[in-house]
């Protein structure tokens, strides 16, 4: 299964390079060792402590209705399926990724804000700068702050990092 996934990743990387021949692909993004990948991420994010846990949040909807937020969790670079969660969006009508992100962040991390639970080392929000700001707005209403929140804009292949003025390619 590991070899199959690596072959699939290599094929996808090769396919991507054909469509974006004018862009440089950063080879340090593709790695086989989870520890070295986490160390690279720690360096890129300029975090003083090693990264052990990452939670990722995405919003999805079906034809503008039935909006849900999904959360996946990784510990030491490996999926932690017991930490996966799904949130039915309750307070947002229609399609509004920003408000939906804020709701998921508030519901998931409100206990951590009251020091009843630990924040993950890195929280990844699917989306761009607006989604990052929505998450930061939800965190601003809590007592504690997470160590690092970033967002990934897939289309532009950019990551927005809290407290940085520009994206990381």
């Amino acid at each position: 299964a590991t070899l199959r996934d690596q072959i699939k990743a290599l094929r996808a990387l090769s396919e991507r390079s054909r469509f974006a021949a004018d862009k440089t692909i950063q080879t340090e993004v593709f790695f086989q060792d989870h520890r070295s990948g986490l160390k690279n991420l720690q360096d890129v994010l300029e975090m003083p402590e090693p990264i052990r846990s990452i939670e990722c949040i995405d919003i999805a909807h079906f034809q503008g209705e039935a909006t849900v937020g999904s959360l996946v969790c990784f510990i030491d670079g490996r999926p932690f399926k017991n930490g996966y969660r799904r949130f039915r969006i309750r307070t947002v009508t229609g399609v509004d990724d920003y408000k939906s992100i804020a709701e998921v962040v508030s519901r998931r991390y409100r206990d951590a804000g009251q020091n009843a639970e630990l924040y993950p080392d890195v929280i990844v929000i699917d989306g761009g700068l607006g989604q990052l700001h929505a998450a930061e707005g939800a965190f601003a209403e809590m007592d504690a702050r997470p160590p690092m929140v970033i967002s990934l804009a897939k289309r532009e292949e950019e990551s927005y990092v809290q407290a940085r003025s520009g994206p990381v390619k």
Side-chain angles (χ1 to χ4, degrees):
T2 301
L3 288 172
R4 179 201 64 222
D5 293 343
Q6 290 176 349
I7 290 169
K8 184 178 177 182
L10 284 169
R11 285 184 179 145
L13 192 61
S14 175
E15 191 71 20
R16 188 174 124 200
S17 66
R18 281 196 322 193
F19 294 108
D22 58 331
K23 293 186 179 181
T24 303
I25 296 174
Q26 297 175 344
T27 55
E28 67 271 10
V29 173
F30 185 79
F31 55 88
Q32 294 180 347
D33 178 17
H34 295 291
R35 284 172 288 183
S36 66
L38 289 173
K39 177 65 176 134
N40 287 344
L41 182 61
Q42 176 188 350
D43 293 343
V44 168
L45 297 177
E46 300 172 355
M47 295 181 68
E49 299 294 322
I51 296 171
R52 300 235 23 241
S53 61
I54 300 172
E55 289 187 0
C56 308
I57 298 172
D58 188 16
I59 303 297
H61 59 86
F62 180 71
Q63 297 179 349
E65 296 182 20
T67 304
V68 295
S70 298
L71 182 139
V72 295
C73 181
F74 297 86
I75 297 178
D76 292 330
R78 300 194 181 274
F80 178 65
K81 295 194 178 188
N82 288 342
Y84 286 20
R85 295 176 72 178
R86 185 178 63 201
F87 300 85
R88 288 187 184 147
I89 302 302
R90 301 176 185 156
T91 63
V92 181
T93 55
V95 178
D96 190 332
D97 278 1
Y98 302 137
K99 288 181 182 176
S100 297
I101 292 267
E103 179 180 329
V104 170
V105 166
S106 295
R107 287 171 54 194
R108 165 60 185 98
Y109 299 107
R110 68 178 159 230
D111 292 336
Q114 298 166 1
N115 296 320
E117 189 176 332
L118 295 175
Y119 280 116
D121 298 317
V122 177
I123 298 169
V124 180
I125 307 295
D126 182 42
L129 190 57
Q131 283 84 350
L132 177 62
H133 288 168
E136 289 176 324
F139 283 119
E141 297 179 13
M142 299 178 199
D143 295 334
R145 301 286 183 270
M148 179 61 66
V149 181
I150 67 173
S151 67
L152 300 175
K154 292 181 290 258
R155 211 171 290 142
E156 294 84 20
E157 296 185 17
E158 295 176 331
S159 298
Y160 294 91
V161 180
Q162 68 185 26
R164 288 211 190 152
S165 60
V168 176
K169 202 96 164 119

